[in-house]
Amino acid sequence: MRAILVVNPQATSTTAGGRDVLAHALASQMKLEVVETDYRGHALAVARSAVRDGIDLVVAHGGDGTVNEVVNGMLTDGPTNRTALGVVPGGSANVFARALGISRDPVEATHQLLRAVEDGQSRSVGLGRADERWFTFNAGLGWDADVVAAVADRRGKQTNALLYMRSAVACYFNPPRGKEPLTLHIPGEDPVEVRTAFISNTDPWSYLGPRPVRFNTGTSFETGLGLFALRTLSLWTVYRHVRQSLRSEAKHRGRNLVRHDDLAKLRIEAPHPVNFQVDGDPVGRRSQVEFVSVPHALSVLIGG
């Protein structure tokens, strides 16, 4: 088996020692090349070349941003089963890996990956596509994306749950352009105006430290996309749904809530460009985004 290990040395919990242990373990079972990323988009370029060169496995060692870049590189030419993805978490949240049952401990995750290689165990997962960008677990417009944009300049070793909480409060009381209205277009339904929209590809939507944040409990890698949107950002509405999202059962109810767990596609429009994020990374400002669910988009190696 030919494999490429893509390492983001700036990710929250990656270390040179951990990289060397991981590389040594993988090299014992496959022909391995190790690439450390040193600029934004580097992981994407490496993964794209790997697929085009017929590499069997691309392993992403970093946070969710690194995984997203690798996935977008692998799927540049569309869904593929020829090259598989492996993930060894090295970030702060590691939402995609945790949703797949991959250990947060890099050493244990490496053992899981090696067992998957030895036993030929893989899982076909569905992904989301937002215009030209693929996402593995979530995307969003409005308040959600405002928070991601506010945190972006302090990414890396400084990222933690407290930073996100402070940014969420700051963006709520002082959003970049005010609370812009968003219009949801869902096939077969009338347009709906909301103030923020969260798109999920799995559950949970994210994590606040060790605690899962759950918006669409019926959404998974085997279903369509989840939509969680609020018609108003009044303090009571926000408080109510934040509280519900942190409960273990997370049964969201409310007259200001628009929620679906299994959508094949939807479109969101804004009167002015608003912040847009995919998998916790800001990707600029958009006045319109179309979201599509793509079943069986990628094969991921997962050991028991």
Side-chain angles (χ1 to χ4, degrees), residues 24-209:
H24 179 75
L26 293 177
S28 68
Q29 292 197 20
M30 60 194 73
K31 183 178 180 180
L32 183 71
E33 177 185 352
V34 180
V35 178
E36 281 200 353
T37 62
D38 53 22
Y39 60 87
R40 188 176 180 88
H42 192 180
L44 186 152
V46 172
R48 179 175 57 210
S49 295
V51 171
R52 291 176 176 175
D53 291 344
I55 298 297
D56 301 297
L57 173 67
V58 179
V59 180
H61 181 39
D64 287 311
T66 303
V67 174
N68 180 271
E69 276 201 27
V70 167
V71 168
N72 273 273
M74 292 178 66
L75 301 182
T76 297
D77 301 322
T80 178
N81 289 318
R82 181 178 60 183
T83 302
L85 171 69
V87 179
V88 176
S92 56
N94 307 302
V95 180
F96 180 64
R98 290 162 80 173
L100 288 169
I102 297 172
S103 174
R104 297 181 66 189
D105 176 15
V107 174
E108 177 55 32
T110 301
H111 289 317
Q112 287 180 297
L113 180 57
L114 291 174
R115 286 195 294 270
V117 171
E118 184 176 352
D119 299 337
Q121 296 178 334
S122 65
R123 177 176 173 182
S124 178
V125 301
L127 300 176
R129 186 166 181 130
D131 287 345
E132 76 285 357
R133 291 292 300 262
W134 294 88
F135 61 97
T136 63
F137 62 92
N138 78 31
L141 293 151
W143 181 30
D144 163 35
D146 292 343
V147 175
V148 169
V151 171
D153 290 340
R154 300 181 63 184
R155 278 292 173 84
K157 304 298 183 182
Q158 299 179 14
T159 303
N160 54 50
L162 182 58
L163 176 59
Y164 275 98
M165 291 176 62
R166 288 175 174 173
S167 298
V169 172
C171 289
Y172 176 81
F173 288 105
N174 186 30
R177 288 184 57 95
K179 297 179 174 67
E180 293 276 7
L182 305 173
T183 303
L184 299 177
H185 296 272
I186 299 171
E189 298 187 9
D190 293 333
V192 179
E193 184 175 292
V194 298
R195 295 291 167 165
T196 194
F198 304 82
I199 312 300
S200 298
N201 186 53
T202 188
D203 173 66
W205 171 80
S206 189
Y207 289 87
L208 188 62

Side-chain angles (χ1 to χ4, degrees), residues 197-267:
F198 304 82
I199 312 300
S200 298
N201 186 53
T202 188
D203 173 66
W205 171 80
S206 189
Y207 289 87
L208 188 62
R211 178 172 293 186
V213 180
R214 312 189 72 181
F215 289 147
N216 291 88
T217 54
T219 299
S220 73
F221 295 120
E222 285 74 42
T223 69
L225 300 175
L227 167 67
F228 183 98
L230 298 176
R231 300 175 189 268
T232 175
L233 287 179
S234 69
L235 193 58
W236 168 246
T237 297
V238 170
Y239 169 75
R240 176 178 184 172
H241 288 290
V242 167
R243 184 182 62 181
Q244 290 174 351
S245 72
L246 295 174
R247 291 177 174 174
S248 58
E249 296 183 357
K251 294 181 178 178
H252 288 274
R253 298 183 180 88
R255 61 186 179 86
N256 291 314
L257 173 65
V258 180
R259 182 176 175 276
H260 295 268
D261 281 333
D262 188 11
L263 293 174
K265 63 180 179 180
L266 70 147
R267 188 175 78 256

